[in-house]
Amino acid sequence: MTWLLFAADGRLQNYISNPHCDHDGGVSKRRPVPWPANAVVLRQPGTNQLGDITVVGYAGKHADPWGKEFGQINTIWLLKVGGLRIVHLGDNGPLTADTIRAIGRVDVLMIPIDPQFHILKADQIAAIRGRLSPAVLIPMHYRHDDLERSPEKPEQLGGIDEWAKGEAGVRYLGSHVQDFSAGTFPRKPEVLIFKHSPLVKAPLNIKEQRTDRQ
């Protein structure tokens, strides 16, 4: 769930929404981070100018009841580049009126959605979409069957297909990459569902780990 981008100077940018291990590159578990030592790592609210990219972090609140072990902090990221305004909610709960006003226009919204409504409930998703009115909505934080070893895990998290069946303007992409340009968005709102990156693999089970180490 870490958002990674390359800056104009060639350095990797990392936007961390909260300290859960699936959002912070494993830092909270003291694991080796997957980015180089010279990478830019942003965690806190504030405005940062990185080349031609303006990154604004807004202080939010992690969706209930999760994240209490770290005070339910969650940074919402607004990325402004090339006339585009892209928002990543992380694991945020319902947005306050002040946050909505501060964010302003949204072209692309990345929002946690799954049919079990693990992070946001159906009415909360509808309220956020209605207030921000993104041209493109990208669901995130849902289950990928090919990345899981057990049909029961992770708990309380479903795949995206069941939710997508009830939505209009859904388009499944054949890739984990999509280009966006200002002024080229569809007239009607669109939902884009990506393939996950081929670099993301299912975890090895114990037997496979032992074989891999031999």
Side-chain angles (χ1 to χ4, degrees):
M1 296 295 293
T2 305
W3 195 2
L4 306 176
L5 290 171
F6 282 98
D9 60 3
R11 289 186 299 166
L12 198 63
Q13 298 177 27
N14 305 263
Y15 310 138
I16 309 297
S17 57
N18 66 68
H20 269 151
C21 64
D22 58 344
H23 289 253
D24 70 354
V27 172
S28 61
K29 297 291 186 180
R30 298 184 180 180
R31 298 170 182 164
V33 296
W35 51 74
N38 70 338
V40 177
V41 181
L42 302 181
R43 300 174 182 272
Q44 304 301 324
T47 301
N48 298 270
Q49 190 68 41
L50 303 170
D52 60 353
I53 304 172
T54 302
V55 184
V56 185
Y58 299 96
K61 177 179 179 289
H62 196 290
D64 289 325
W66 323 110
K68 291 182 179 178
E69 67 272 21
F70 51 76
Q72 291 189 301
I73 60 174
N74 185 81
T75 302
I76 299 166
W77 295 109
L78 167 63
L79 179 72
K80 297 188 284 187
V81 58
L84 295 174
R85 297 173 66 89
I86 303 170
V87 171
H88 188 297
L89 293 185
D91 280 356
N92 214 80
L95 299 184
T96 66
D98 287 344
T99 299
I100 289 171
R101 281 193 294 270
I103 290 173
R105 190 191 91 241
V106 177
D107 297 311
V108 179
L109 175 63
M110 304 170 73
I111 180 172
I113 296 176
D114 81 282
Q116 296 189 34
F117 304 110
H118 179 72
I119 298 296
L120 292 169
K121 308 306 179 189
D123 60 328
Q124 296 168 344
I125 295 169
I128 292 172
R129 293 178 73 179
R131 294 295 300 276
L132 294 181
S133 300
V136 173
L137 183 141
I138 301 175
M140 59 181 187
H141 207 291
Y142 54 85
R143 175 189 172 86
H144 290 269
D145 288 341
D146 63 324
L147 297 180
E148 304 301 335
R149 290 294 182 185
S150 169
E152 288 80 32
K153 294 182 179 180
E155 299 175 355
Q156 303 179 32
L157 192 66
I160 197 61
D161 294 343
E162 183 180 339
W163 176 85
K165 289 177 182 177
E167 296 296 315
V170 175
R171 182 156 60 98
Y172 283 79
L173 302 179
S175 171
H176 64 291
V177 177
Q178 177 70 15
D179 292 331
F180 296 108
S181 299
T184 63
F185 292 106
R187 293 183 178 180
K188 293 184 178 181
E190 188 173 42
V191 176
L192 298 185
I193 298 177
F194 285 72
K195 294 280 190 182
H196 66 72
S197 169
L199 297 178
V200 180
K201 306 289 186 180
L204 298 176
N205 59 33
I206 299 299
K207 183 178 179 180
E208 288 173 328
Q209 288 180 17
R210 289 172 179 170
T211 302
D212 188 55
R213 290 170 184 164
Q214 292 176 351

